[in-house]
Amino acid sequence: MKQPFNYLILRKLKEWKKNQAWLSEMTGIDKVAISKYIKGTRVPTAPNFLKICALLEIDPMKVRF
């Protein structure tokens, strides 16, 4: 079952006790962009989507927007 990308990001960050600033630093993606992805007001580019999925161990095939 596919789940919303913003929900998956939030769930992983909570599980790992990390925050948006950490995600931004680790991926090189701007903090504002990360915030918008989490709010669901912006869809990441394909490279950014794959960076986040790889870092947070999210299966890209189980994501919906």
Side-chain angles (χ1 to χ4, degrees), residues 40-54:
T41 59
R42 183 172 168 187
V43 175
T45 61
N48 285 352
F49 171 69
L50 294 174
K51 283 181 195 176
I52 293 169
C53 286

Side-chain angles (χ1 to χ4, degrees), residues 25-54:
E25 184 178 316
M26 296 302 292
T27 59
I29 301 169
D30 183 69
K31 290 178 190 176
V32 174
I34 295 287
S35 177
K36 289 181 180 183
Y37 301 159
I38 290 173
K39 289 179 185 173
T41 59
R42 183 172 168 187
V43 175
T45 61
N48 285 352
F49 171 69
L50 294 174
K51 283 181 195 176
I52 293 169
C53 286

Side-chain angles (χ1 to χ4, degrees), residues 9-38:
I9 294 172
L10 283 171
R11 192 176 85 202
K12 285 290 187 168
L13 290 176
K14 188 174 182 178
E15 281 177 21
W16 295 3
K17 296 180 173 77
K18 301 293 182 183
N19 58 27
Q20 293 179 32
W22 173 84
L23 183 58
S24 174
E25 184 178 316
M26 296 302 292
T27 59
I29 301 169
D30 183 69
K31 290 178 190 176
V32 174
I34 295 287
S35 177
K36 289 181 180 183
Y37 301 159
I38 290 173

